[in-house]
Amino acid sequence: MNQFLLFFLKYKYRIILLLLVVLFILSLILLNIKYSKNKNKNKNKNKNTKKQLYDNLMNNFTNIFPDNNRNAGGVQFFKFIVDLKPSKHEFELYNTFYCGVSGSPIDPDRQDIFDYTLVKDINGNHYYGKYHRCCWPCVCDIMKYTLIDDFTIFLDNSSHTYKVITIKDPCSNPDNIPKEVTSFNCSNKKTINGVYSDNNRLIIAVLFDAKLIDINTFNNDNFDKIKNTCSDRLNTNPENLKGGMGDIFVKLSLVNHNSNIDSNNNIKNIYGEKLKKCKTGTKPGSWDSDGYCSELDGGVHQICFKVNDDTKSFSSDTGQSNWSEERIDNNHCICLGAWALYKAKKKGNDNELVCDSIPEYALDHKYIDKWNTWNGNEQKHQIIDGVNSLVKQCYNKNNSKYLINKYNELLNHYNHKHKNWPSIF
């Protein structure tokens, strides 16, 4: 006993320190066990909550779709969820249980239920986010036939704003609603079993984790895969789509455009003539679905550019990846910012443009005002120099009075605002 006491007295600080370390380690172990239990409990609770909410949605299927036809039924699913007055957590979960394009239910226990995709908003900005879908063509269809808008809703005693996927209200032209779609209740040319976005467009679904991106610098492997998968569908005229739930939705989204699906027919080029297609080859070239450098759908790529051996370094010369080296002997729709920087750097051969395929909107101040800055690489006065270079090159190809008048109108607008934009003529 005396020996033990002497040993303890001699090494008491070390023994106390060792005991404290042991207690600390035991405490960590116990906390980890408790955390793991709570994590598994919350995981199971969340899984149960998902299952319960999904079952509730399916149990109300005939209330949402009285004739059991859910074709293009994202609008009606969304309306039912909003009317439930859910919590924020429930609202977000509910909106993962259906495909806004097809109206197909999405069981939460199923694997592979969403893709990340890129969709324009009503102002032409691009948002990258998560879209829940039944199958891949639906992702392509929202890229081409929908626009993103804000939706503000009161949840959990506070206001929340979501990025939602929208279409024009088909009830504004109810006689043209496809016969395959029977779920829309129309009154006074408005859908009464749907919900409208903050800018009065009809909501079909939520785009989750939506992030505003710069389309000129955006680089994402997952989106590149989707873009390649969707390439053929995005470049197919809607009239040539054959069968499928997505095709029904496309018809619905175009109810207000059916009389003139290829509305580019009415667009003039910078010569005042009918706009010609820029599209060449089979690979995407930033043109619209009909092959035009068109602003109709909010795009920014107005300038038809010819890629050849002289201009193949265009993309790397303007601070992008080297994508243009894969486009040799093909056209590509580019934005004014990239074109202006390219010419500011004294690049090219002054024969790069396909002027018949440049819409007159490219010489409108509303378009040009978007390009005061671009990509962080812009140079002073490059937009003025870029526009002047475009007009000079295209005038040399066609001495068009229409082009001169458009150019003079542009200069009058800016010089009236004291921009000091000298004419090239």
Side-chain angles (χ1 to χ4, degrees):
M1 185 67 181
N2 289 335
Q3 289 180 339
F4 176 78
L5 184 59
L6 289 173
F7 178 83
F8 178 77
L9 291 174
K10 183 177 181 180
Y11 297 104
K12 62 181 178 180
Y13 295 113
R14 295 183 182 181
I15 293 172
I16 291 172
L17 181 61
L18 179 61
L19 289 172
L20 289 173
V21 170
V22 171
L23 286 172
F24 178 72
I25 293 173
L26 288 173
S27 298
L28 287 179
I29 292 172
L30 290 172
L31 285 172
N32 187 56
I33 292 172
K34 184 177 180 180
Y35 173 77
S36 298
K37 286 182 177 180
N38 288 335
K39 186 177 180 181
N40 290 330
K41 183 178 179 180
N42 290 333
K43 185 177 180 180
N44 291 331
K45 181 180 178 181
N46 188 46
K47 185 175 180 180
N48 290 334
T49 300
K50 277 188 177 182
K51 183 64 175 172
Q52 290 169 1
L53 295 182
Y54 178 75
D55 288 345
N56 182 48
L57 195 63
M58 292 302 99
N59 289 337
N60 281 282
F61 191 87
T62 54
N63 294 326
I64 305 169
F65 305 105
D67 62 358
N68 286 313
N69 181 355
R70 48 81 179 164
N71 288 344
V75 170
Q76 288 73 40
F77 271 124
F78 190 83
K79 174 71 161 61
F80 176 80
I81 293 166
V82 170
D83 287 348
L84 286 175
K85 301 189 184 310
S87 66
K88 182 176 184 293
H89 180 63
E90 290 171 343
F91 175 81
E92 294 176 358
L93 281 180
Y94 269 127
N95 278 292
T96 66
F97 297 153
Y98 66 94
C99 174
V101 168
S102 68
S104 299
I106 304 174
D107 191 313
D109 290 333
R110 202 189 87 184
Q111 299 295 315
D112 187 28
I113 60 175
F114 65 84
D115 283 305
Y116 280 92
T117 190
L118 197 67
V119 191
K120 294 173 185 173
D121 75 358
I122 60 173
N123 297 312
N125 302 307
H126 291 78
Y127 280 88
Y128 182 68
K130 183 192 295 184
Y131 174 68
H132 288 78
R133 84 292 183 273
C134 49
C135 52
W136 67 265
C138 294
V139 178
C140 312
D141 293 334
I142 67 162
M143 292 169 61
K144 182 174 179 179
Y145 299 103
T146 72
L147 293 176
I148 298 299
D149 195 11
D150 288 338
F151 173 64
T152 305
I153 184 173
F154 205 71
L155 303 168
D156 293 339
N157 299 317
S158 61
S159 179
H160 300 273
T161 299
Y162 291 87
K163 294 298 179 183
V164 290
I165 304 167
T166 69
I167 60 173
K168 288 185 177 180
D169 189 351
C171 280
S172 63
N173 198 354
D175 292 338
N176 285 344
I177 293 178
K179 65 180 186 305
E180 298 94 339
V181 179
T182 61
S183 56
F184 280 75
N185 294 330
C186 301
S187 177
N188 296 321
K189 295 192 173 184
K190 288 185 72 72
T191 300
I192 60 175
N193 60 339
V195 178
Y196 293 87
S197 67
D198 291 357
N199 288 288
N200 207 36
R201 290 177 60 88
L202 202 58
I203 300 170
I204 69 162
V206 176
L207 185 71
F208 287 97
D209 303 334
K211 179 182 178 183
L212 179 65
I213 59 97
D214 181 349
I215 190 63
N216 298 299
T217 58
F218 183 65
N219 186 20
N220 184 283
D221 290 339
N222 289 330
F223 177 64
D224 287 342
K225 292 177 183 177
I226 290 295
K227 190 165 59 174
N228 291 333
T229 301
C230 291
S231 177
D232 287 342
R233 190 169 181 88
L234 291 175
N235 288 291
T236 298
N237 189 290
E239 290 182 322
N240 296 328
L241 295 174
K242 302 296 181 183
M245 292 296 128
D247 300 357
I248 295 172
F249 170 79
V250 169
K251 293 178 185 176
L252 182 75
S253 70
L254 293 173
V255 159
N256 296 309
H257 306 282
N258 282 346
S259 60
N260 184 21
I261 290 176
D262 184 2
S263 50
N264 296 284
N265 286 329
N266 298 321
I267 298 179
K268 293 180 180 180
N269 62 23
I270 57 175
Y271 298 132
E273 301 164 352
K274 180 182 175 181
L275 182 68
K276 293 184 178 180
K277 293 185 178 182
C278 181
K279 180 179 179 180
T280 57
T282 58
K283 292 184 178 181
S286 292
W287 35 66
D288 66 16
S289 57
D290 295 312
Y292 298 90
C293 299
S294 165
E295 185 71 5
L296 283 182
D297 56 358
V300 294
H301 301 94
Q302 296 290 285
I303 300 171
C304 189
F305 183 91
K306 182 167 50 180
V307 183
N308 54 32
D309 286 332
D310 292 336
T311 61
K312 64 183 179 182
S313 63
F314 165 80
S315 57
S316 55
D317 287 337
T318 53
Q320 306 175 66
S321 66
N322 61 348
W323 58 259
S324 57
E325 294 183 9
E326 300 176 358
R327 299 287 295 153
I328 297 176
D329 295 327
N330 281 289
N331 297 337
H332 203 94
C333 296
I334 63 172
C335 68
L336 177 61
W339 162 256
L341 178 59
Y342 187 67
K343 300 313 290 183
K345 290 186 172 183
K346 310 298 182 185
K347 301 291 184 178
N349 55 16
D350 293 329
N351 190 33
E352 308 95 341
L353 300 181
V354 184
C355 300
D356 291 334
S357 300
I358 301 176
E360 64 174 349
Y361 191 84
L363 295 178
D364 190 288
H365 69 88
K366 295 176 185 175
Y367 175 69
I368 293 171
D369 284 345
K370 296 180 180 181
W371 301 108
N372 293 324
T373 59
W374 181 77
N375 208 20
N377 296 313
E378 60 275 352
Q379 298 183 12
K380 189 176 181 180
H381 303 309
Q382 74 170 40
I383 296 303
I384 291 178
D385 294 339
V387 172
N388 284 346
S389 177
L390 182 155
V391 172
K392 182 177 180 180
Q393 186 175 141
C394 289
Y395 183 76
N396 288 338
K397 294 182 178 183
N398 181 343
N399 301 147
S400 167
K401 290 184 179 179
Y402 189 89
L403 174 59
I404 291 180
N405 289 337
K406 290 293 295 183
Y407 179 66
N408 287 335
E409 288 175 9
L410 185 66
L411 265 58
N412 287 338
H413 169 80
Y414 283 112
N415 288 330
H416 179 70
K417 295 179 177 294
H418 309 291
K419 292 290 186 182
N420 190 26
W421 188 327
S423 174
I424 62 172
F425 296 109

